[in-house]
Amino acid sequence: MKQILLFAVLSFPLAVSSQSGDHIYRSNIKSVKLHKANDPYSYPVIRLNSVDDLDLYFDDLDADIKNYYYTFQLCNADWSPTDLKPFDYIKGFQTNRITTYRNSSIAFTRYTNYYARVPDRNCSPTRSGNYLLKVFLDNDTSKIAFTRRLLVVETKATISGQVLQPFGGSIFRTHQKLQVSVNLNSTLNVFNQQDVKVVLLQNYIWPTASYLLRPTIYRGNYFEYNDESTTSFPAGKEWRWIDLRSIRLMSERMQRLDKQPTRTDVYINPDLERGGQVYYYYRDVNGFYTIETTDNVNPFWQSDYVYTHFTFVPPNNQQYPEREVYLFGELTNYATNKDAKMEFNTEKGVYEKTLFLKQGFYNYSYVTLPAKKTNEPVNFENTEGNYPNTENVYLILVYYRPFGGRSDELIGFTLLNSLLQRP
């Protein structure tokens, strides 16, 4: 009989900068979307050696025709590149050209919309794990346009979990806790618990991911993780939204719609702090955005772009001392850089940000960070508040590196919903 070993759960911070994750390197590239085929609300996860497909869309505002190519780069669980060569994990050609594109029509903004169904039979991954999809010009990898994360899984583990309210008094009313158990297939040889890593993501957001290196309980091929100090997440509140599907008529949260011959400006109703507001549930898309239009037929090449003006009003119209405010969500790649940072207007006493967005439906939130750079994660407390009944989606990923292995294999994943309590 094997003895049950108890270990403290350890975690390590995400070691990925925006430069190596979901990042756009060229200003002419807009509206990059990668998701499961025909499912714009999904995360790009495919099964190894399956018929699973992903849809890739993006716009080039130069409105000309370019030779875009893509390739895959295999990464470890922490998104550091592996030591393997591309021919070790790519079947077929190392790069593949994107041949489907169409110039915009009807829209005032001129652009070229590109589309690819990935992986292609001529270029596809042969190992499970984390991958960066890299898109670049003229088959020259030094001319990179953007990168997107995707996951390839080969199921060798059974995962179960629950979303619970924490016991700790300091986080009982503000956080959600995950309790996770993992059963590995008997074919896997686990020499020690560090052969297995578990990654927890809230609403598919990698910058706030929690990496668990050691289980609370470890017995043979069974692992359990339940230490709320590292498996708990601030619950936040339901995401704010703006409906840009029509720019002919004003939608619910538009304050003003200005249409000019060469551009369209949308001014969103000023947003206030929500920390002290009563919580109420409404359906959101957990930080995502979708490309849609009700003005025309095809959203991909008939949607227009609009200058979208966001305004956040702090208490008493006073700037937060020693803190900066960022617009947060897929619309800013969940980044906290200059492209997402809001500027404080001293005359109006508000934070402002303008983004050039394609017609669609957008979720967003406001977060704060210290003005002096630290390792502090994004904070919803001041701007949004945290409520334990908030609906959130949690992605649980299990990685395994065999003895002598040169990369982390993704051997299991599951989704939990904090309201439904089931995958």
Side-chain angles (χ1 to χ4, degrees):
M1 179 177 179
K2 296 183 179 179
Q3 185 179 6
I4 297 178
L5 303 177
L6 301 179
F7 294 91
V9 177
L10 298 180
S11 68
F12 57 90
L14 184 63
V16 184
S17 70
S18 61
Q19 298 294 314
S20 58
D22 299 322
H23 189 75
I24 297 175
Y25 294 86
R26 295 176 179 266
S27 60
N28 59 301
I29 301 297
K30 295 289 185 182
S31 305
V32 180
K33 293 291 293 182
L34 179 67
H35 51 72
K36 291 183 180 180
N38 306 314
D39 186 359
Y41 299 100
S42 63
Y43 194 76
V45 182
I46 60 176
R47 296 167 297 167
L48 185 66
N49 299 323
S50 71
V51 295
D52 296 347
D53 288 321
L54 303 175
D55 286 335
L56 172 67
Y57 295 93
F58 65 95
D59 292 339
D60 183 339
L61 296 188
D62 289 342
D64 55 4
I65 305 302
K66 296 186 176 73
N67 294 320
Y68 283 104
Y69 290 76
Y70 70 82
T71 190
F72 302 98
Q73 179 179 343
L74 179 62
C75 299
N76 294 310
D78 63 354
W79 291 100
S80 61
T82 67
D83 295 330
L84 296 172
K85 301 300 181 183
F87 57 77
D88 291 324
Y89 55 82
I90 296 178
K91 178 176 64 176
F93 298 110
Q94 304 300 301
T95 63
N96 200 40
R97 187 183 174 192
I98 299 174
T99 57
T100 303
Y101 52 84
R102 179 159 178 169
N103 292 325
S104 61
S105 64
I106 302 177
F108 287 111
T109 303
R110 310 310 300 168
Y111 59 87
T112 305
N113 177 256
Y114 290 83
Y115 168 76
R117 180 64 62 89
V118 296
D120 187 271
R121 63 180 182 179
N122 295 320
C123 180
S124 59
T126 60
R127 291 172 177 260
S128 66
N130 292 354
Y131 282 85
L132 282 182
L133 178 71
K134 293 187 172 184
V135 176
F136 46 90
L137 281 168
D138 302 327
N139 209 15
D140 183 351
T141 54
S142 67
K143 298 179 180 179
I144 191 164
F146 64 86
T147 57
R148 277 296 179 270
R149 294 181 174 97
L150 67 93
L151 306 174
V152 179
V153 62
E154 183 178 17
T155 304
K156 298 179 181 179
T158 302
I159 307 169
S160 59
Q162 288 182 294
V163 183
L164 306 171
Q165 196 163 4
F167 292 103
S170 61
I171 60 174
F172 178 75
R173 297 184 181 276
T174 59
H175 286 58
Q176 293 172 345
K177 165 192 171 181
L178 272 66
Q179 182 172 299
V180 179
S181 61
V182 179
N183 279 286
L184 305 184
N185 290 0
S186 58
T187 57
L188 300 179
N189 297 316
V190 180
F191 291 92
N192 61 71
Q193 71 273 15
Q194 294 190 20
D195 291 345
V196 177
K197 305 180 183 73
V198 172
V199 182
L200 311 177
L201 279 79
Q202 183 189 62
N203 297 325
Y204 313 106
I205 302 173
W206 282 98
T208 60
S210 180
Y211 280 52
L212 308 179
L213 285 176
R214 291 180 180 152
T216 309
I217 300 176
Y218 163 50
R219 182 178 64 241
N221 280 19
Y222 174 79
F223 298 74
E224 185 174 308
Y225 305 82
N226 58 24
D227 186 335
E228 64 186 34
S229 66
T230 52
T231 61
S232 297
F233 292 82
K237 285 191 174 180
E238 313 305 338
W239 295 72
R240 304 175 195 255
W241 79 95
I242 178 62
D243 187 349
L244 299 177
R245 288 175 290 187
S246 175
I247 54 175
R248 295 177 181 173
L249 301 173
M250 290 180 59
S251 62
E252 178 182 1
R253 299 198 65 251
M254 289 185 187
Q255 182 185 51
R256 192 165 88 247
L257 175 61
D258 290 344
K259 297 198 69 174
Q260 303 174 26
T262 58
R263 61 181 281 171
T264 300
D265 289 79
V266 169
Y267 295 84
I268 303 174
N269 288 331
D271 292 308
L272 304 175
E273 276 193 358
R274 298 194 294 169
Q277 296 181 8
V278 175
Y279 169 83
Y280 64 95
Y281 169 77
Y282 55 84
R283 188 174 181 181
D284 61 12
V285 290
N286 292 313
F288 281 3
Y289 72 84
T290 58
I291 302 300
E292 302 178 65
T293 181
T294 57
D295 295 334
N296 298 303
V297 177
N298 191 288
F300 299 108
W301 60 79
Q302 292 182 334
S303 291
D304 218 327
Y305 276 83
V306 297
Y307 290 91
T308 310
H309 302 267
F310 297 84
T311 303
F312 178 75
V313 184
N316 302 316
N317 297 98
Q318 297 295 313
Q319 187 174 6
Y320 288 120
E322 306 297 327
R323 297 192 75 82
E324 296 175 341
V325 178
Y326 294 87
L327 195 59
F328 194 70
E330 189 189 14
L331 79 173
T332 57
N333 288 321
Y334 305 102
T336 51
N337 53 26
K338 63 180 180 62
D339 296 326
K341 181 181 176 182
M342 304 193 74
E343 298 298 332
F344 187 73
N345 187 321
T346 55
E347 294 183 1
K348 298 180 180 179
V350 297
Y351 288 92
E352 297 176 325
K353 185 66 181 179
T354 301
L355 296 181
F356 194 48
L357 301 178
K358 196 174 185 178
Q359 283 184 264
F361 184 84
Y362 289 80
N363 271 184
Y364 67 95
S365 288
Y366 298 102
V367 298
T368 65
L369 283 174
K372 295 182 178 179
K373 300 303 179 184
T374 66
N375 292 326
E376 179 183 324
V378 294
N379 192 309
F380 293 92
E381 186 63 36
N382 292 335
T383 53
E384 307 294 347
N386 294 290
Y387 191 77
N389 286 352
T390 300
E391 184 269 331
N392 289 302
V393 172
Y394 292 93
L395 179 61
I396 303 173
L397 303 171
V398 178
Y399 297 87
Y400 168 71
R401 179 174 291 205
F403 180 76
R406 299 169 61 192
S407 66
D408 293 327
E409 302 175 10
L410 179 57
I411 61 171
F413 85 99
T414 194
L415 283 172
L416 298 177
N417 188 288
S418 61
L419 291 186
L420 302 180
Q421 289 291 298
R422 63 177 185 267

